[in-house]
Amino acid sequence: MTDHQLLERMLAGEEEAFLTLYRRRQGPVYRFAWHMSGSASIAEEVTQEVFLTLVRDGRRYDPARGTVASYLYGIARNHVLRTLERDRPYVALEAETSETLAAPDDPLAELTREERLDGLRQAVVSLPASYREVVVLCDLHEIDYAGAAEVLGCPVGTVRSRLHRGRALLAEKLRGNPARCLV
């Protein structure tokens, strides 16, 4: 059953349709919010808000404007940006929990890997929001340009240019040239 069919059934009152849609899309929405915010607690809050919004305002979904997944990412994006704007001085980047990492074969190699991942996460979270969201959508969530454009409500060309600039900024940050990364 497609996401759209599940949404229609959910709106008709089928609880099982909501549960199926939730199970299918909760993980990607959570990961998107986590990558955008750098905070597991914000990602949890945003994920909850996305599905509450879907229950409350699901009839606002327009299949002509994009997929249900894009609709959910768009809701998540708006909640993340509002939360970060409201709480930015208080948001600290959180590391992945040990359960999400593979057991180390070589402790030194694992430590180096974790440090690089932490550096990458910090670099992504430090990007300006307009660049961070396209990097997260296209590079981390492997959404194509058209899908990212649906989520962001902008032309595909804008996604391409933001992604190009976002990748360049990210590369500068990872090379250790933060002074050249100011936008």
Side-chain angles (χ1 to χ4, degrees), residues 83-106:
T83 300
L84 290 178
E85 187 175 301
R86 181 188 71 219
D87 298 341
R88 187 41 120 182
Y90 310 105
V91 175
L93 180 67
E94 298 171 2
E96 279 185 351
T97 61
S98 58
E99 297 88 48
T100 63
L101 299 172
D105 294 332
D106 176 5

PDB file of all heavy atoms in Angstrom, residues 83-106:
ATOM      1  N   THR A  83      12.300  25.369  16.103  1.00  0.00           N
ATOM      2  CA  THR A  83      12.899  24.967  17.379  1.00  0.00           C
ATOM      3  C   THR A  83      14.307  25.530  17.512  1.00  0.00           C
ATOM      4  O   THR A  83      14.677  26.048  18.566  1.00  0.00           O
ATOM      5  CB  THR A  83      12.927  23.432  17.507  1.00  0.00           C
ATOM      6  OG1 THR A  83      11.583  22.949  17.435  1.00  0.00           O
ATOM      7  CG2 THR A  83      13.569  22.990  18.806  1.00  0.00           C
ATOM      8  N   LEU A  84      15.092  25.446  16.451  1.00  0.00           N
ATOM      9  CA  LEU A  84      16.461  25.960  16.509  1.00  0.00           C
ATOM     10  C   LEU A  84      16.473  27.477  16.692  1.00  0.00           C
ATOM     11  O   LEU A  84      17.300  28.010  17.421  1.00  0.00           O
ATOM     12  CB  LEU A  84      17.242  25.569  15.257  1.00  0.00           C
ATOM     13  CG  LEU A  84      17.590  24.100  15.137  1.00  0.00           C
ATOM     14  CD1 LEU A  84      18.315  23.831  13.823  1.00  0.00           C
ATOM     15  CD2 LEU A  84      18.423  23.623  16.317  1.00  0.00           C
ATOM     16  N   GLU A  85      15.557  28.148  16.035  1.00  0.00           N
ATOM     17  CA  GLU A  85      15.481  29.599  16.181  1.00  0.00           C
ATOM     18  C   GLU A  85      15.131  29.976  17.617  1.00  0.00           C
ATOM     19  O   GLU A  85      15.707  30.882  18.197  1.00  0.00           O
ATOM     20  CB  GLU A  85      14.425  30.151  15.220  1.00  0.00           C
ATOM     21  CG  GLU A  85      14.385  31.653  15.166  1.00  0.00           C
ATOM     22  CD  GLU A  85      13.415  32.134  14.110  1.00  0.00           C
ATOM     23  OE1 GLU A  85      13.590  31.788  12.938  1.00  0.00           O
ATOM     24  OE2 GLU A  85      12.465  32.848  14.492  1.00  0.00           O
ATOM     25  N   ARG A  86      14.215  29.226  18.194  1.00  0.00           N
ATOM     26  CA  ARG A  86      13.756  29.493  19.558  1.00  0.00           C
ATOM     27  C   ARG A  86      14.807  29.087  20.600  1.00  0.00           C
ATOM     28  O   ARG A  86      15.030  29.792  21.564  1.00  0.00           O
ATOM     29  CB  ARG A  86      12.457  28.717  19.805  1.00  0.00           C
ATOM     30  CG  ARG A  86      11.842  28.922  21.175  1.00  0.00           C
ATOM     31  CD  ARG A  86      10.671  27.984  21.416  1.00  0.00           C
ATOM     32  NE  ARG A  86      11.185  26.635  21.576  1.00  0.00           N
ATOM     33  CZ  ARG A  86      10.597  25.541  21.091  1.00  0.00           C
ATOM     34  NH1 ARG A  86       9.478  25.621  20.423  1.00  0.00           N
ATOM     35  NH2 ARG A  86      11.141  24.348  21.277  1.00  0.00           N
ATOM     36  N   ASP A  87      15.451  27.938  20.386  1.00  0.00           N
ATOM     37  CA  ASP A  87      16.305  27.347  21.423  1.00  0.00           C
ATOM     38  C   ASP A  87      17.798  27.354  21.101  1.00  0.00           C
ATOM     39  O   ASP A  87      18.567  26.757  21.838  1.00  0.00           O
ATOM     40  CB  ASP A  87      15.906  25.888  21.659  1.00  0.00           C
ATOM     41  CG  ASP A  87      14.479  25.743  22.155  1.00  0.00           C
ATOM     42  OD1 ASP A  87      13.914  26.724  22.651  1.00  0.00           O
ATOM     43  OD2 ASP A  87      13.938  24.631  22.033  1.00  0.00           O
ATOM     44  N   ARG A  88      18.246  27.973  20.037  1.00  0.00           N
ATOM     45  CA  ARG A  88      19.627  27.836  19.586  1.00  0.00           C
ATOM     46  C   ARG A  88      20.677  28.037  20.667  1.00  0.00           C
ATOM     47  O   ARG A  88      21.632  27.278  20.736  1.00  0.00           O
ATOM     48  CB  ARG A  88      19.891  28.766  18.391  1.00  0.00           C
ATOM     49  CG  ARG A  88      21.247  28.559  17.755  1.00  0.00           C
ATOM     50  CD  ARG A  88      21.589  27.112  17.653  1.00  0.00           C
ATOM     51  NE  ARG A  88      21.808  26.681  16.291  1.00  0.00           N
ATOM     52  CZ  ARG A  88      22.079  25.442  15.968  1.00  0.00           C
ATOM     53  NH1 ARG A  88      22.168  24.518  16.881  1.00  0.00           N
ATOM     54  NH2 ARG A  88      22.250  25.094  14.736  1.00  0.00           N
ATOM     55  N   PRO A  89      20.547  29.011  21.544  1.00  0.00           N
ATOM     56  CA  PRO A  89      21.594  29.157  22.557  1.00  0.00           C
ATOM     57  C   PRO A  89      21.708  27.953  23.485  1.00  0.00           C
ATOM     58  O   PRO A  89      22.716  27.769  24.137  1.00  0.00           O
ATOM     59  CB  PRO A  89      21.166  30.389  23.359  1.00  0.00           C
ATOM     60  CG  PRO A  89      20.178  31.100  22.513  1.00  0.00           C
ATOM     61  CD  PRO A  89      19.562  30.067  21.624  1.00  0.00           C
ATOM     62  N   TYR A  90      20.673  27.125  23.534  1.00  0.00           N
ATOM     63  CA  TYR A  90      20.649  26.013  24.479  1.00  0.00           C
ATOM     64  C   TYR A  90      20.886  24.661  23.840  1.00  0.00           C
ATOM     65  O   TYR A  90      20.947  23.670  24.532  1.00  0.00           O
ATOM     66  CB  TYR A  90      19.294  25.981  25.197  1.00  0.00           C
ATOM     67  CG  TYR A  90      18.919  27.320  25.750  1.00  0.00           C
ATOM     68  CD1 TYR A  90      17.942  28.089  25.137  1.00  0.00           C
ATOM     69  CD2 TYR A  90      19.573  27.838  26.867  1.00  0.00           C
ATOM     70  CE1 TYR A  90      17.618  29.346  25.629  1.00  0.00           C
ATOM     71  CE2 TYR A  90      19.254  29.092  27.361  1.00  0.00           C
ATOM     72  CZ  TYR A  90      18.278  29.833  26.736  1.00  0.00           C
ATOM     73  OH  TYR A  90      17.954  31.070  27.205  1.00  0.00           O
ATOM     74  N   VAL A  91      21.001  24.591  22.507  1.00  0.00           N
ATOM     75  CA  VAL A  91      21.119  23.317  21.809  1.00  0.00           C
ATOM     76  C   VAL A  91      22.582  22.937  21.692  1.00  0.00           C
ATOM     77  O   VAL A  91      23.381  23.681  21.141  1.00  0.00           O
ATOM     78  CB  VAL A  91      20.478  23.383  20.404  1.00  0.00           C
ATOM     79  CG1 VAL A  91      20.712  22.086  19.651  1.00  0.00           C
ATOM     80  CG2 VAL A  91      18.996  23.677  20.507  1.00  0.00           C
ATOM     81  N   ALA A  92      22.914  21.777  22.209  1.00  0.00           N
ATOM     82  CA  ALA A  92      24.270  21.248  22.089  1.00  0.00           C
ATOM     83  C   ALA A  92      24.240  20.043  21.157  1.00  0.00           C
ATOM     84  O   ALA A  92      23.287  19.271  21.159  1.00  0.00           O
ATOM     85  CB  ALA A  92      24.797  20.821  23.455  1.00  0.00           C
ATOM     86  N   LEU A  93      25.281  19.904  20.372  1.00  0.00           N
ATOM     87  CA  LEU A  93      25.391  18.760  19.478  1.00  0.00           C
ATOM     88  C   LEU A  93      25.595  17.510  20.316  1.00  0.00           C
ATOM     89  O   LEU A  93      26.449  17.466  21.191  1.00  0.00           O
ATOM     90  CB  LEU A  93      26.575  18.949  18.528  1.00  0.00           C
ATOM     91  CG  LEU A  93      26.819  17.834  17.528  1.00  0.00           C
ATOM     92  CD1 LEU A  93      25.654  17.790  16.532  1.00  0.00           C
ATOM     93  CD2 LEU A  93      28.118  18.059  16.793  1.00  0.00           C
ATOM     94  N   GLU A  94      24.785  16.491  20.059  1.00  0.00           N
ATOM     95  CA  GLU A  94      24.890  15.246  20.805  1.00  0.00           C
ATOM     96  C   GLU A  94      25.575  14.194  19.947  1.00  0.00           C
ATOM     97  O   GLU A  94      25.359  14.125  18.749  1.00  0.00           O
ATOM     98  CB  GLU A  94      23.494  14.750  21.195  1.00  0.00           C
ATOM     99  CG  GLU A  94      22.768  15.715  22.092  1.00  0.00           C
ATOM    100  CD  GLU A  94      21.328  15.342  22.319  1.00  0.00           C
ATOM    101  OE1 GLU A  94      20.886  14.301  21.814  1.00  0.00           O
ATOM    102  OE2 GLU A  94      20.639  16.107  22.988  1.00  0.00           O
ATOM    103  N   ALA A  95      26.362  13.366  20.563  1.00  0.00           N
ATOM    104  CA  ALA A  95      27.013  12.276  19.856  1.00  0.00           C
ATOM    105  C   ALA A  95      26.038  11.124  19.694  1.00  0.00           C
ATOM    106  O   ALA A  95      25.068  11.009  20.430  1.00  0.00           O
ATOM    107  CB  ALA A  95      28.236  11.804  20.644  1.00  0.00           C
ATOM    108  N   GLU A  96      26.308  10.266  18.706  1.00  0.00           N
ATOM    109  CA  GLU A  96      25.496   9.062  18.565  1.00  0.00           C
ATOM    110  C   GLU A  96      25.673   8.208  19.803  1.00  0.00           C
ATOM    111  O   GLU A  96      26.724   8.216  20.427  1.00  0.00           O
ATOM    112  CB  GLU A  96      25.960   8.246  17.349  1.00  0.00           C
ATOM    113  CG  GLU A  96      25.440   8.734  16.051  1.00  0.00           C
ATOM    114  CD  GLU A  96      25.853   7.808  14.913  1.00  0.00           C
ATOM    115  OE1 GLU A  96      26.677   6.893  15.118  1.00  0.00           O
ATOM    116  OE2 GLU A  96      25.347   8.014  13.816  1.00  0.00           O
ATOM    117  N   THR A  97      24.647   7.468  20.148  1.00  0.00           N
ATOM    118  CA  THR A  97      24.771   6.564  21.282  1.00  0.00           C
ATOM    119  C   THR A  97      25.595   5.360  20.862  1.00  0.00           C
ATOM    120  O   THR A  97      25.673   5.026  19.689  1.00  0.00           O
ATOM    121  CB  THR A  97      23.389   6.096  21.764  1.00  0.00           C
ATOM    122  OG1 THR A  97      22.757   5.397  20.697  1.00  0.00           O
ATOM    123  CG2 THR A  97      22.539   7.274  22.198  1.00  0.00           C
ATOM    124  N   SER A  98      26.168   4.684  21.818  1.00  0.00           N
ATOM    125  CA  SER A  98      27.015   3.538  21.507  1.00  0.00           C
ATOM    126  C   SER A  98      26.226   2.420  20.845  1.00  0.00           C
ATOM    127  O   SER A  98      26.784   1.623  20.104  1.00  0.00           O
ATOM    128  CB  SER A  98      27.700   3.035  22.775  1.00  0.00           C
ATOM    129  OG  SER A  98      26.725   2.681  23.733  1.00  0.00           O
ATOM    130  N   GLU A  99      24.906   2.362  21.071  1.00  0.00           N
ATOM    131  CA  GLU A  99      24.105   1.313  20.437  1.00  0.00           C
ATOM    132  C   GLU A  99      24.028   1.483  18.928  1.00  0.00           C
ATOM    133  O   GLU A  99      23.804   0.537  18.202  1.00  0.00           O
ATOM    134  CB  GLU A  99      22.676   1.293  20.994  1.00  0.00           C
ATOM    135  CG  GLU A  99      22.558   0.984  22.452  1.00  0.00           C
ATOM    136  CD  GLU A  99      22.649   2.219  23.328  1.00  0.00           C
ATOM    137  OE1 GLU A  99      21.959   3.215  23.048  1.00  0.00           O
ATOM    138  OE2 GLU A  99      23.422   2.186  24.285  1.00  0.00           O
ATOM    139  N   THR A 100      24.191   2.714  18.440  1.00  0.00           N
ATOM    140  CA  THR A 100      24.075   2.942  17.005  1.00  0.00           C
ATOM    141  C   THR A 100      25.388   2.714  16.281  1.00  0.00           C
ATOM    142  O   THR A 100      25.433   2.731  15.066  1.00  0.00           O
ATOM    143  CB  THR A 100      23.589   4.376  16.711  1.00  0.00           C
ATOM    144  OG1 THR A 100      24.558   5.293  17.200  1.00  0.00           O
ATOM    145  CG2 THR A 100      22.231   4.629  17.318  1.00  0.00           C
ATOM    146  N   LEU A 101      26.460   2.511  17.040  1.00  0.00           N
ATOM    147  CA  LEU A 101      27.760   2.286  16.420  1.00  0.00           C
ATOM    148  C   LEU A 101      28.098   0.803  16.452  1.00  0.00           C
ATOM    149  O   LEU A 101      27.729   0.084  17.364  1.00  0.00           O
ATOM    150  CB  LEU A 101      28.855   3.054  17.174  1.00  0.00           C
ATOM    151  CG  LEU A 101      28.690   4.580  17.199  1.00  0.00           C
ATOM    152  CD1 LEU A 101      29.717   5.185  18.132  1.00  0.00           C
ATOM    153  CD2 LEU A 101      28.830   5.146  15.806  1.00  0.00           C
ATOM    154  N   ALA A 102      28.832   0.376  15.452  1.00  0.00           N
ATOM    155  CA  ALA A 102      29.258  -1.018  15.406  1.00  0.00           C
ATOM    156  C   ALA A 102      30.293  -1.263  16.499  1.00  0.00           C
ATOM    157  O   ALA A 102      31.022  -0.366  16.899  1.00  0.00           O
ATOM    158  CB  ALA A 102      29.869  -1.324  14.043  1.00  0.00           C
ATOM    159  N   ALA A 103      30.351  -2.484  16.981  1.00  0.00           N
ATOM    160  CA  ALA A 103      31.350  -2.838  17.989  1.00  0.00           C
ATOM    161  C   ALA A 103      32.745  -2.700  17.381  1.00  0.00           C
ATOM    162  O   ALA A 103      32.980  -3.136  16.263  1.00  0.00           O
ATOM    163  CB  ALA A 103      31.128  -4.270  18.463  1.00  0.00           C
ATOM    164  N   PRO A 104      33.653  -2.058  18.074  1.00  0.00           N
ATOM    165  CA  PRO A 104      34.979  -1.817  17.504  1.00  0.00           C
ATOM    166  C   PRO A 104      35.820  -3.079  17.428  1.00  0.00           C
ATOM    167  O   PRO A 104      35.884  -3.855  18.379  1.00  0.00           O
ATOM    168  CB  PRO A 104      35.595  -0.807  18.466  1.00  0.00           C
ATOM    169  CG  PRO A 104      34.871  -0.992  19.757  1.00  0.00           C
ATOM    170  CD  PRO A 104      33.500  -1.479  19.399  1.00  0.00           C
ATOM    171  N   ASP A 105      36.466  -3.275  16.276  1.00  0.00           N
ATOM    172  CA  ASP A 105      37.438  -4.349  16.129  1.00  0.00           C
ATOM    173  C   ASP A 105      38.790  -3.851  16.619  1.00  0.00           C
ATOM    174  O   ASP A 105      39.544  -4.581  17.228  1.00  0.00           O
ATOM    175  CB  ASP A 105      37.551  -4.782  14.664  1.00  0.00           C
ATOM    176  CG  ASP A 105      36.265  -5.418  14.164  1.00  0.00           C
ATOM    177  OD1 ASP A 105      35.524  -6.000  14.996  1.00  0.00           O
ATOM    178  OD2 ASP A 105      35.995  -5.333  12.957  1.00  0.00           O
ATOM    179  N   ASP A 106      39.073  -2.612  16.303  1.00  0.00           N
ATOM    180  CA  ASP A 106      40.315  -1.970  16.704  1.00  0.00           C
ATOM    181  C   ASP A 106      39.933  -0.689  17.456  1.00  0.00           C
ATOM    182  O   ASP A 106      39.447   0.254  16.844  1.00  0.00           O
ATOM    183  CB  ASP A 106      41.142  -1.650  15.461  1.00  0.00           C
ATOM    184  CG  ASP A 106      42.411  -0.890  15.769  1.00  0.00           C
ATOM    185  OD1 ASP A 106      42.720  -0.684  16.959  1.00  0.00           O
ATOM    186  OD2 ASP A 106      43.100  -0.484  14.809  1.00  0.00           O
TER     187      ASP A 106
END
